[in-house]
Each structure stands twice: as structure tokens, then as C-alpha cells.
RNA sequence: GCGAAAGUGGCGGAAUUGGUAGACGCGCAGGUCUCAGAAGCCUGUGAUCAUUAGAUCAUGGGGGUUCGAUUCCCCCCUUUCGCACCA
């Protein structure tokens, strides 16, 4: 019988579904293993690039389950968000309809890949059963002062008509649509993630099984800096101005002070300035600029006409306003040390301010902290950075003009969105009582479904009188409901807990069970979430910890980021992307007619015409082939280029595995597996087991190919190698589940191969009985000798001495050194 | 600019603690089967020299440590990614 995946794959998918093989009773005893893929946004069709993520997860799930773990692999939908709303505006379908339709399509796609999820635990963040707990969580954070409404300069995306979190602004542009983000001063809801900056930073140290890269990115984002706050008295103001510095050791070199244009003391400082109007105009202009624009404009400033007193030199130093000082960081004011800071130097050069050297070393501006020694600084002359800082801060604290300070770059998480398709923020605005939270028993605040989508005039919720008008729970009077919705990253910052008890309508989750199942043992998703989602999830988990709802602070014990799958796309000479059907290859070069096209390898995208849809591939080769190829193509964390020819190799491999099974069934061989094949089998079991744990799927599969080739040779010789073959099927199952189930059954084995225990390697059977020792003379390969294994050192040197080829090289020379690497090689150094 | 990772055949990529570089697969070449083709299957496949045996050179470039370096150290080059006036 030929191998026909189109028949066996649906058959096994159906059987697994009927037997509910992936359903887990969270109360049942066993050693838990929580495998989780980041839940996807239901955008519609999936391509082979998306498949990598889920195929990896399924392979891990199956392998751990076969190794006896009670493995849970749930799936849900990050179902709120802008694309649904945009689709509604464009096509007139309701975001909910659009989203549910996509979910159905993606679910069918997962099934065709043979991926096993516990669908009894499915959840979608757009359902009131889910988002009511978002609202509940919001209220708990509000109670604890961790959710607050504040006015601040925020990032506004003019295209998406909403504010964005700092984390959603990439290079000054909206993460979603790429529009240049503008600054606006608005009153919005924030989560006080900055209260957790120190814990989020410190916690990274405990994440041994996270990629270093992700930890580093988070560390940089949190941006912990150690330094001091120092007050500089300002006689004209009658009160001091506080600055933050990481270089207190350079304070003797502070020849001026710079305030952010938005600094609260600016108005008083320039009140009597002759060019006050000009300065105010300049401040207004700078305030409207984004950071990106300010940076492009170069250093600019205005002198306030007032002076501060440097507490260490007692000199009066001018107070300037500067576009490079940010109100959001530190105190919005700096002491400028042009001799030892590049930005201050640049500013000083431009405005002719004195540059003073206070650290000996290289050319000014000299910023090296490691090698310099303090000079012109009476209190600390001759000291290096660390001691100098200590002395200065001690003195600052002694005088009561400041203190040691740790500051963070991280800013509070802006969670308000002026969009419809999200969780309504459960807050009310009462003219009499002010801001009033919706009482918990009134949750959920349901998103009204029958609103019109015009795409204009902002959020449709704000125009829905039935939604907006409410009764105040405190005074009983009429109130206005908050019409902003929550950032969808709120939804995804705790969903991994909800999967354990997804239908509980009395509480957010069951703490005892969540404490049993979490942290997630293996979390898999793209690197694009290195900061956003993972930071927010770590933050919310800590707030849950502080509420006593969970007993862990880190939600994800082990993290893996898969690389993207790329494919060649073709551009014509005008730079437009060309559909693949129009491209023809001559001499390996892409043409459209006579026009030479340029090839560019990139992420799969419909607009680049380089998407590989899995359905065609599955129809031609089967899902198992796609799975094996996807895992074999490259190390899973690396970017990998899809190759249609490469798929053929995976297909051939599975066909051979099938053919060997057929041959074994057809003939009754005589001899059992040879010693060499037995050894290879046990080595393969050990290798595959270890490589799955290390996410080295490409080499795990290559080891299985080697074993399969060895089995092929044995089958050709007529050996009965059923036992070895069955072990191969088991090892292969996590990667190619359908074909292995089918062959398992054909070989007369009982039950699902999925439920069969993972084969165990016997260290005794892995040993070689003859050791081949490589002989080097002066480091060059000069021969080999075979000795019984395990050999003694004497046996080896005796065999080497007796070897003819080696003797030829040794003739007349003296051996000055003998090196023996047990079991591997001998090196003789001669002269 | 700062930070991080990486550079191995025509291609994707392998190589415990330094120990026969190129596993496995793609591609290519030859063979087999066929009227022919496709698919299988078998053999070969880093480069150079040599009829062969074999030799020499090869892991971005240059140096070093070592009996021995893809692996460790120093310098340089290139690529990718992250952050970007954070005081």
C-alpha cells in the first residue's frame, strides 16, 4: 500500500478528537507539564510561517506526554483589537462576526496540522465571560492605587485615532500602522507598573531558562540607573531645584543647569524675562514635538536669566531650558557637566558655556567611568569613580541636600484606548461624586453590539447614549460611563491563569489549581513580544501575587522564541512586488517577460506575494511532511528560508519510513537487529530525548533519518528489526504524528502511539565493543588502531606501537610526549 | 552612538569539556529501471595537485596559546537584531 497522507491524516485527527486525547482534568493526580503557545490574534488564514510556532508546541506537548507527564496544551484567542474594527468599517461586518469567523478558520487549520489542544479550555478575550475578569482586575488595581487617571503627554496615533503605550511606539511610529506618532496632553488611565520596576528588574535574574536576549531587552527597557538626587538652591525662586544624576562624582564640573521646557518652575523663572513671550513660544513649539522630532532638530535651548548655586563650588551657574531634557525622566532637570557628558558638551559648545575638566583622562568630553581620576574637585581629588561617588553622596546626605536614588526609564503603562473593540473600562464619572468605580456585582460592563461603524468621529461607544448614560452607585444620580476601552495587552497579561478554570463564573480563577499548574513550564512565541506582552504579564502576575491570589511572581518558567520563516519575494524595477505567477526563471534569475526582477528574502506577507499556504502543501505532501520539514529546516530559534525543494526531502524520508514498515510486515525476517543497529537505536533514543529538551529539533530529526537509513539497510538484508522500527516510530511521533499512529496500528501495537511510553536508552547497549583510536603524530592524522572496548591505556599504546603506518612515521625519531584521549585518540609528539 | 548575536561547501545546516571539520537534508553528476519521462533505488560530490596510492590547503581576515583550535585569547572586517538625547 502506498503512503497516502490525505487518507490517514483526517482519520487520525478524527480519532484523537473523538477520544478527546488532549483533554486534561486539572484535578487529576500526576506530574504536571504546562505547555503554552502565546495565544494568537485571530486574523484569519495561517501560513506555514505561523505553523512553526504551533508545530513546535505540539511536538513538545506530545513528547512530554509520552514521557509520562500530565501535559496540558490549551489554546485561546486574543480576540479584541483594531483589525476587527477596521474590517468592520471597511466591509460592514461586525467585529464580533469577523473575529468568530476567523477563529473557526484557524481552528480548522490547527486540526489539519494535527495539533492537539485541550479545546475544553478554549477561551476568547472578546467574550463577556472573559473580559468581565479584566474589569474585575482593573477594579482591584484601582483599589490598590495601581490604576489611576492622570494627565500626561501621551503618544497619539492620528491614523488609528487612539493613544498608544510607550512600548507600542517604534522609532517614533505606531507599531500597528506605521504613522508618525504625535504628542498630546491628555487625561488617561494608567497602570502603575513603575511601582514594580525594581521587582521586574530583579526578577530577571531568576529566569534561568529565558533567552539572554529577551532578559537583556527587558533590562534595558526598565532602565535601572543608580545615582543621586541633589538640590541646587535658586535664590531668585526662593526654593531649590532638584536634579537627578548618575555622575555625582562630576558635580564640581557642573557649570550650568538645564530644565525640560515643561518643568513646573519654568513659568516663575521667566516671569520677568524681557523676552518672555519669545521663550514661551519656543516652549510651546518644543512641547508639541515628539522625541524623534526634538532629536532631529538638534540641541536647542534658552537662557532663563536666572542662576542656581552649585552646592560644591558655591558658584552661581546659569539655568537654561533645553529641548534634550525630558520631563518624563528623573526630575526633569539636570546639572550639566559639559566636560564629561557628550550632550552637555554639545549644548555648551553651541551656547558658549564654560567647559571644565574634573576627571583626568582623555580628551574632553571624557565620559569613561572606569579609568578616570577626579581632579579640580577638592573633596575627592585622586579618587576613582566608585569611591568618588560614595564620598560625594555621603556629603550630600550629610548636608541634607539630597540622597542616593535609583531611577528607572520605565514609565507607567497607559491602558486607555479610544476604540470600540476592547474591554470597557468599568468606571463612571459622576458630577457629584467624581470618579466612581462600577461595583463588582454589576460586572461585566457589556460592550453593546448594535453600534454603527462609520470609521469617522472617533469611538462609536461615546455616541451610544444607552451605553454612556448610567446611574451612580453612590448617589443614585445620573452619571456618564467611561467610553475608553482597555489596551488588549491587559487581556493577555493573565490569560494563562484563566486556562486552568476557564468556565468559573464566580471568580477570576481558582487559586489552588493555578498554583498547582503554574508557572507555565514551556512558553513559546515570537520575539516581537520580548518587551510588551512579557513585561506586562510579569507585572500583572506580581500584582496577583500581592493580592494573595497566586504564590509565584514569574508566570513563565521557560521561554522559547521561534525564528520567523522567510521566503523570496520579487520586485520589479519600479519597486512594486510581483505576483509569483508572473515570475519566470532563466539562468536562475527571476524575470517578468524581459524585465529582470530583484529577489528579496523576507517575512511571508500577502502584499509581497511570498506566502506559502499550508493547504496546498498538505494536499500534496501531507501535514506530517510540513511538520518534519518545518522542524528540520533550521534551528528553531533562527530565521529560516522556506524552500519548496527542501520539502521534498522530508517527504522522501516519511515515504521511506512507510516503505520499511511495509517491508517488515510483508516478510518474516530471520536475524534480529545487529549489535551495530541496536547500539545506534539506543544512541538515537538518548540523542532525540535530549535534543527535544534543548529545542534542537533539526538535529533530532537528522538522527532519526540516520536511524531510518540504518533500518533500511537491515530490511534490505532481510533482518527482522521490528523492535527497532517500532522505537523509531515512537521517537518520530512528536514530529510526524499521523503516519506514526497509522504504522503503529499496522504493526499490531495497541492503543494510540501517543499514549505509549517513550523508549528508554540503555547505556550498556550504547557502548561500542571495539574502540577505534585515531593516531596522530605531531597533531597530524597518521592512522587508526582498533582495540577492544573499553581499552586500557597500556593496550592502546601497545596497539599503536605495533601499527605499521605509525612505525613508518616514528622511524629514527624520539617520542617526547604521548597524549591519550580515552576512547578517542592518541597523539605522539616526536622530534 | 550604545548594547547583543552571528559569520563553516552551490544551499539549509552538523560537530560533549579543544580531539578524524562538513553529520543529516537539498541541489548537482553518473548509473539502474523505462519505448520515453516522472517517481524510486544505487554511487559520487569542500578546493587544488596526482593515473593511482596519496599530498597540500580550507570554518570572515590577521595574530596568539596548544601536541592539536570551527571551539579559548587579542585586533580588524562584515551582517543581523534591540535601544536610541533616560542625565
Amino acid at each position: 500500500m502506498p503512503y497516502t497522507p490525505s487518507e490517514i491524516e483526517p482519520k487520525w485527527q478524527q480519532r484523537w478528537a473523538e477520544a478527546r486525547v488532549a483533554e486534561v482534568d486539572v484535578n487529576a493526580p500526576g506530574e504536571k507539564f504546562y505547555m503554552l503557545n502565546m495565544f494568537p490574534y485571530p486574523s484569519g488564514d495561517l501560513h506555514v510561517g505561523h505553523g512553526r510556532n504551533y508545530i513546535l508546541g505540539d511536538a513538545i506537548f506530545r513528547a512530554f506526554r509520552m514521557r509520562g507527564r500530565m501535559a496540558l496544551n490549551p489554546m485561546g484567542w486574543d480576540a479584541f483589537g483594531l483589525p476587527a474594527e477596521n474590517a468592520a468599517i471597511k466591509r460592514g461586518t461586525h467585529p464580533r462576526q469577523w473575529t468568530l469567523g476567523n477563529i473557526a478558520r484557524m481552528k480548522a487549520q490547527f486540526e489539519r496540522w494535527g495539533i492537539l489542544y485541550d479545546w475544553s479550555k478554549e477561551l476568547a478575550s472578546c467574550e463577556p465571560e472573559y473580559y468581565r475578569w479584566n474589569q474585575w482586575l482593573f477594579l482591584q488595581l484601582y483599589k490598590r492605587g495601581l490604576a489611576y487617571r492622570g494627565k500626561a503627554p501621551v503618544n497619539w496615533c492620528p491614523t488609528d485615532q487612539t493613544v498608544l503605550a510607550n512600548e507600542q511606539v517604534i522609532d517614533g511610529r505606531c507599531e500597528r500602522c506605521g504613522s508618525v506618532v504625535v504628542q498630546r496632553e491628555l487625561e488617561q488611565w494608567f497602570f502603575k507598573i513603575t511601582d514594580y520596576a525594581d521587582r521586574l528588574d530583579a526578577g530577571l535574574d531568576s529566569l534561568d531558562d529565558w533567552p539572554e536576549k529577551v532578559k537583556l531587552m527587558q533590562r534595558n527597557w526598565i532602565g535601572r540607573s543608580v545615582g543621586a538626587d541633589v538640590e541646587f538652591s535658586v535664590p531668585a525662586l526662593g526654593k531649590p531645584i532638584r536634579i537627578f544624576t548618575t555622575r555625582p562624582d562630576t558635580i564640581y564640573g557642573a557649570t550650568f543647569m538645564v530644565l525640560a521646557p515643561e518643568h513646573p518652575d519654568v513659568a516663575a523663572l521667566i516671569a520677568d524675562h524681557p523676552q518672555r513671550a519669545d521663550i514661551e513660544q519656543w516652549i510651546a513649539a518644543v512641547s508639541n514635538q515628539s522625541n524623534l522630532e526634538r532629536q532631529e532638530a538638534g540641541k536647542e535651548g534658552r537662557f532663563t536669566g536666572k542662576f542656581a548655586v552649585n552646592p560644591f563650588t558655591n558658584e552661581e551657574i546659569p539655568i537654561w531650558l533645553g529641548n534634550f531634557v525630558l520631563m518624563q525622566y528623573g526630575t526633569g532637570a539636570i546639572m550639566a557637566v559639559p566636560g564629561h557628558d557628550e550632550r552637555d558638551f554639545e549644548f555648551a559648545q553651541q551656547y558658549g558655556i564654560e567647559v571644565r575638566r574634573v576627571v583626568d583622562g582623555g580628551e574632553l568630553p571624557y565620559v569613561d567611568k572606569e579609568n578616570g581620576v577626579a581632579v579640580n574637585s577638592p573633596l575627592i581629588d585622586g579618587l576613582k569613580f566608585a569611591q568618588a561617588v560614595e564620598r560625594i553622596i555621603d556629603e550630600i546626605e550629610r548636608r541634607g541636600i539630597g540622597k542616593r536614588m535609583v531611577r528607572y526609564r520605565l514609565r507607567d503603562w497607559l491602558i486607555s484606548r479610544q476604540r470600540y473593540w476592547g474591554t470597557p473600562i468599568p468606571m463612571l464619572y459622576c458630577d457629584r461624586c467624581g470618579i466612581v468605580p462600577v461595583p463588582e456585582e454589576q460586572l461585566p460592563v457589556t460592550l453593546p453590539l448594535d453600534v454603527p461603524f462609520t470609521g469617522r468621529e472617533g469611538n462609536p461607544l461615546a455616541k451610544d447614549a444607552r451605553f454612556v448614560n448610567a446611574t451612580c452607585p453612590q448617589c443614585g444620580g445620573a452619571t456618564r460611563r467611561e467610553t475608553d476601552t482597555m489596551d488588549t495587552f491587559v487581556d493577555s497579561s493573565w490569560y494563562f491563569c484563566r486556562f486552568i478554570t476557564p468556565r468559573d463564573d464566580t471568580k477570576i480563577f481558582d487559586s489552588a489549581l493555578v498554583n498547582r499548574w503554574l508557572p507555565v513550564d514551556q512558553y513559546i512565541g515570537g520575539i516581537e513580544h520580548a518587551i510588551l506582552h512579557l513585561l506586562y504579564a510579569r507585572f500583572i502576575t506580581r500584582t496577583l501575587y500581592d493580592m494573595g491570589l497566586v504564590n509565584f511572581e514569574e508566570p513563565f518558567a521557560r521561554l522559547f522564541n521561534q525564528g520567523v520563516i522567510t521566503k523570496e519575494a520579487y520586485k520589479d524595477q519600479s519597486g512594486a512586488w510581483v505576483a509569483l505567477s508572473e515570475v519566470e526563471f532563466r539562468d536562475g534569475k527571476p524575470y517578468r517577460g524581459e524585465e529582470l526582477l530583484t529577489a528579496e528574502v523576507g517575512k511571508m506577507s500577502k502584499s509581497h506575494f511570498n506566502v506559502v499556504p499550508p493547504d496546498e502543501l498538505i494536499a500534496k505532501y501531507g501535514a506530517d511532511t510540513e511538520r518534519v520539514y518545518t522542524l528540520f529546516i533550521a534551528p528553531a530559534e533562527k530565521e529560516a528560508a522556506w524552500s519548496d525543494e527542501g520539502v521534498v526531502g522530508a517527504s522522501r524520508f516519511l515515504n521511506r519510513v512507510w516503505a520499511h514498515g511495509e517491508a517488515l510486515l510483508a516478510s518474516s525476517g530471520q536475524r534480529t537487529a545487529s549489535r551495530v543497529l541496536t547500539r545506534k537505536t539506543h544512541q538515537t533514543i538518548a540523542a532525540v530525548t535530549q535534543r527535544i529538551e534543548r529545542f534542537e529539533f533539526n538535529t533530532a530529526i537528522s538522527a532519526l533519518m540516520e536511524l531510518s537509513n540504518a533500518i533500511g539497510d537491515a530490511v534490505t538484508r532481510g533482518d527482522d528489526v521490528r523492535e527497532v522500527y517500532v522505537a523509531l516510530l515512537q521517537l518520530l511521533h512528536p514530529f510526524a504524528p499521523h503516519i506514526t499512529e497509522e504504522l503503529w496500528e499496522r504493526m499490531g501495537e495497541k492503543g494510540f502511539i501517543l499514549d505509549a511510553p517513550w523508549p528508554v536508552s540503555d547505556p550498556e547497549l550504547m557502548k561500542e565493543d571495539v574502540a577505534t583510536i585515531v593516531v596522530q603524530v605531531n597533531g597530524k592524522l597518521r592512522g587508526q588502531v582498533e582495540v577492544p572496548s573499553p581499552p586500557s591505556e597500556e593496550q592502546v599504546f601497545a596497539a599503536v606501537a605495533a601499527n605499521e603506518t605509525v612505525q613508518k612515521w616514528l622511524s629514527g625519531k624520539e617520542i617526547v610526549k604521548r597524549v591519550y584521549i580515552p576512547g578517542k585518540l592518541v597523539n605522539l609528539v616526536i622530534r
Side-chain angles (χ1 to χ4, degrees):
Chain A
M1 262 185 95
Y3 168 46
T4 45
S6 57
E7 279 172 30
I8 64 170
E9 290 182 354
K11 176 175 114 188
W12 287 100
Q13 286 155 14
Q14 202 186 334
R15 287 211 202 166
W16 293 322
E18 279 167 4
R20 300 172 173 234
V21 291
E23 272 185 36
V24 171
D25 173 0
V26 290
N27 287 296
E31 195 192 347
K32 67 99 180 178
F33 182 83
Y34 189 177
M35 158 65 222
L36 187 62
N37 278 106
M38 290 180 187
F39 73 160
Y41 180 77
S43 56
D45 294 315
L46 294 165
H47 55 64
V48 296
H50 298 119
R52 193 182 204 186
N53 186 6
Y54 306 107
I55 289 166
L56 274 166
D58 188 60
I60 289 286
F61 166 73
R62 288 175 186 263
F64 274 81
R65 173 171 171 154
M66 291 172 89
R67 291 178 62 192
R69 300 290 289 270
M70 184 160 66
L72 172 67
N73 191 28
M75 179 46 66
W77 311 98
D78 188 13
F80 272 140
L82 215 41
E85 209 171 329
N86 290 341
I89 293 161
K90 212 163 136 190
R91 297 172 220 182
T93 31
H94 193 278
R96 187 181 153 81
Q97 273 355 95
W98 185 84
T99 303
L100 295 184
N102 286 348
I103 288 175
R105 290 226 297 283
M106 286 169 70
K107 229 171 144 170
Q109 186 60 64
F110 287 145
E111 190 171 338
R112 281 197 288 276
W113 273 324
I115 292 168
L116 295 179
Y117 290 121
D118 181 347
W119 290 113
S120 73
K121 301 192 174 50
E122 180 180 9
L123 57 82
S125 59
C126 65
E127 300 296 356
E129 300 85 71
Y130 184 85
Y131 69 69
R132 83 178 268 188
W133 301 111
N134 257 351
Q135 294 172 339
W136 181 86
L137 180 66
F138 182 97
L139 293 178
Q140 308 314 307
L141 295 178
Y142 181 73
K143 264 191 234 168
R144 296 174 164 260
L146 292 170
Y148 68 93
R149 193 160 169 81
K151 195 165 184 170
V154 298
N155 307 298
W156 173 264
C157 173
T159 306
D160 290 342
Q161 293 278 301
T162 185
V163 297
L164 300 169
N166 295 318
E167 290 80 3
Q168 287 165 321
V169 181
I170 311 289
D171 292 335
R173 290 169 182 276
C174 171
E175 176 203 42
R176 270 199 181 286
C177 67
S179 310
V180 173
V181 167
V182 298
Q183 298 293 301
R184 279 199 182 179
E185 185 87 3
L186 290 171
E187 201 170 282
Q188 301 283 315
W189 285 100
F190 291 87
F191 282 170
K192 214 166 177 188
I193 192 171
T194 51
D195 271 10
Y196 287 77
D198 53 345
R199 283 164 71 185
L200 289 169
D201 184 70
L204 293 170
D205 292 332
S206 70
L207 297 173
D208 296 331
D209 293 318
W210 274 41
E212 287 303 320
K213 182 182 166 136
V214 174
K215 287 193 276 185
L216 187 70
M217 282 168 71
Q218 291 220 357
R219 204 159 261 139
N220 290 341
W221 189 261
I222 296 166
R224 183 173 193 271
S225 333
V226 181
D229 271 15
V230 191
E231 285 178 350
F232 281 52
S233 65
V234 181
L237 210 54
K239 63 164 191 165
I241 289 179
R242 179 176 278 251
I243 60 99
F244 172 67
T245 179
T246 55
R247 293 296 305 273
D249 60 309
T250 62
I251 196 161
Y252 286 92
T255 52
F256 60 109
M257 178 185 270
V258 189
L259 308 186
E262 301 88 350
H263 193 280
D265 291 329
V266 170
L269 287 170
I270 60 167
D272 57 358
H273 197 286
Q275 277 103 45
R276 185 177 139 192
D278 282 354
I279 298 180
E280 281 174 347
Q281 206 180 355
W282 176 79
I283 292 172
V286 173
S287 298
N288 280 330
Q289 284 178 329
S290 66
N291 275 1
L292 193 71
E293 289 168 316
R294 291 187 197 194
Q295 216 168 134
E296 278 166 1
K299 300 270 182 300
E300 262 182 39
R302 293 290 185 274
F303 178 41
T304 60
K306 299 291 189 293
F307 294 84
V309 179
N310 181 324
F312 281 76
T313 63
N314 291 320
E315 289 169 329
E316 289 212 324
I317 58 172
I319 303 176
W320 284 72
L321 309 182
N323 66 346
F324 68 103
V325 177
L326 306 173
M327 194 58 223
Q328 300 96 316
Y329 184 75
T331 61
I334 62 162
M335 67 173 201
V337 184
H340 306 285
D341 182 283
E342 281 176 21
R343 296 152 301 182
D344 299 349
F345 183 80
E346 197 186 321
F347 192 85
Q349 292 282 298
Q350 198 168 321
Y351 292 103
I353 305 168
E354 185 198 348
V355 178
R356 189 178 298 176
R357 176 185 288 280
V358 290
V359 180
D360 228 1
E363 209 178 300
L364 296 182
Y366 181 70
V367 298
D368 188 346
K369 287 196 288 196
E370 299 304 312
N371 301 308
V373 174
V375 292
N376 302 325
S377 308
L379 202 62
I380 52 170
D381 275 342
L383 294 186
K384 296 191 110 183
F385 173 74
Q387 300 99 305
V389 167
E390 285 307 302
R391 274 302 292 281
I392 292 290
I393 298 183
D394 285 347
E395 177 65 13
I396 287 168
E397 290 187 342
R398 194 188 63 76
R399 289 204 231 160
I401 53 166
K403 57 177 183 188
R404 274 187 180 71
M405 195 71 188
V406 178
R407 290 195 181 266
Y408 298 89
R409 210 184 73 114
L410 185 70
R411 287 183 227 154
D412 278 340
W413 176 13
L414 167 51
I415 61 131
S416 304
R417 295 292 179 275
Q418 289 71 48
R419 301 298 311 203
Y420 163 79
W421 193 232
T423 303
I425 294 174
M427 284 289 166
L428 299 164
Y429 300 98
C430 175
D431 289 338
R432 282 163 298 267
C433 314
I435 295 178
V436 180
V438 174
E440 285 180 25
E441 58 277 12
Q442 285 179 25
L443 297 182
V445 175
T446 319
L447 201 57
L449 293 178
D450 51 346
V451 297
F453 297 96
T454 58
R456 276 168 276 116
E457 304 143 48
N459 185 352
L461 275 185
K463 282 167 289 175
D464 187 341
R466 290 161 307 167
F467 180 79
V468 174
N469 297 325
T471 310
C472 174
Q474 286 180 16
C475 68
T479 65
R480 194 169 48 80
R481 210 178 269 289
E482 170 64 82
T483 58
D484 283 357
T485 53
M486 291 183 211
D487 182 0
T488 59
F489 279 106
V490 176
D491 314 0
S492 56
S493 60
W494 64 277
Y495 76 105
F496 37 88
C497 295
R498 184 72 183 169
F499 272 132
I500 308 303
T501 51
R503 310 279 168 258
D504 193 333
D505 59 3
T506 63
K507 52 187 177 301
I508 185 165
F509 51 73
D510 184 290
S511 288
L513 285 172
V514 164
N515 286 338
R516 178 190 175 194
W517 281 90
L518 276 89
V520 171
D521 293 275
Q522 181 65 63
Y523 200 35
I524 303 181
I527 187 77
E528 67 274 18
H529 292 112
I531 292 171
L532 290 153
H533 161 57
L534 292 170
L535 188 66
Y536 296 146
R538 295 179 63 231
F539 160 58
I540 291 295
T541 301
R542 280 169 171 75
T543 68
L544 295 170
Y545 176 87
D546 290 350
M547 292 174 210
L549 291 173
V550 301
N551 64 5
F552 51 90
E553 293 199 38
E554 290 295 346
F556 313 118
R558 200 170 176 218
L559 173 69
F560 184 82
N561 301 116
Q562 82 281 1
V564 296
I565 292 192
T566 59
K567 185 139 199 325
E568 265 198 353
Y570 305 96
K571 267 183 181 169
D572 66 16
Q573 282 164 8
S574 71
W577 297 102
V578 179
L580 205 58
S581 56
E582 294 176 36
V583 182
E584 39 183 325
F585 289 90
R586 292 199 293 272
D587 308 325
K589 286 181 184 146
Y591 287 88
R592 177 175 59 192
E594 287 310 303
E595 186 183 9
L596 180 64
L597 304 172
T598 44
E600 209 171 281
V601 175
K603 217 170 164 172
M604 289 188 184
S605 144
K606 273 182 195 165
S607 60
H608 296 186
F609 304 102
N610 63 346
V611 170
V612 178
D615 284 357
E616 289 169 33
L617 196 73
I618 290 173
K620 194 167 171 192
Y621 298 103
D624 283 337
T625 291
E626 182 190 338
R627 292 175 59 121
V628 168
Y629 175 65
T630 299
L631 296 170
F632 182 63
I633 182 170
E637 72 280 4
K638 276 190 69 176
E639 186 176 297
W642 187 269
S643 139
D644 293 327
E645 294 85 49
V647 177
V648 175
S651 176
R652 282 181 195 150
F653 167 53
L654 294 181
N655 270 296
R656 276 195 293 264
V657 170
W658 181 274
H660 300 156
E662 295 277 291
L664 283 171
L665 284 170
S667 76
S668 58
Q670 296 302 308
R671 289 185 302 139
T672 54
S674 66
R675 172 95 176 116
V676 174
L677 184 57
T678 304
R679 183 162 63 232
K680 179 133 197 118
T681 306
H682 283 262
Q683 286 169 340
T684 306
I685 292 169
V688 171
T689 307
Q690 187 185 59
R691 286 169 186 180
I692 286 174
E693 271 174 28
R694 296 185 185 173
F695 274 72
E696 295 166 355
F697 298 102
N698 56 331
T699 53
I701 290 173
S702 76
L704 290 171
M705 287 173 169
E706 284 186 59
L707 182 60
S708 167
N709 290 345
I711 288 174
D713 294 343
V715 167
T716 310
R717 282 195 304 269
D719 292 358
D720 179 14
V721 294
R722 284 178 67 117
E723 214 178 310
V724 169
Y725 180 73
V726 165
L728 169 74
L729 293 180
Q730 287 183 265
L731 296 175
L732 184 56
H733 179 261
F735 315 124
H738 311 86
I739 186 176
T740 47
E741 284 280 14
E742 179 73 18
L743 288 165
W744 177 260
E745 190 178 70
R746 281 178 189 232
M747 299 303 287
E749 303 287 343
K750 293 197 177 61
F752 288 117
I753 190 172
L754 176 71
D755 290 326
W758 192 252
V760 176
S761 60
D762 181 343
E764 280 305 310
L765 293 177
M766 283 165 68
K767 283 185 188 156
E768 316 257 343
D769 33 27
V770 174
T772 306
I773 308 287
V774 174
V775 185
Q776 294 182 344
V777 178
N778 281 353
K780 303 240 162 149
L781 173 65
R782 296 301 181 211
Q784 305 189 339
V785 295
E786 292 197 341
V787 285
S789 176
S792 69
E793 196 164 339
E794 289 72 28
Q795 280 176 307
V796 173
F797 283 118
V800 169
N803 183 282
E804 281 182 34
T805 333
V806 175
Q807 278 175 349
K808 194 177 89 188
W809 289 98
L810 295 183
S811 59
K813 302 279 176 69
E814 185 199 353
I815 298 173
V816 293
K817 194 175 175 184
R818 307 190 303 179
V819 183
Y820 174 50
I821 311 287
K824 289 203 169 159
L825 67 79
V826 159
N827 190 11
L828 305 171
V829 184
I830 61 170
R831 209 181 276 137

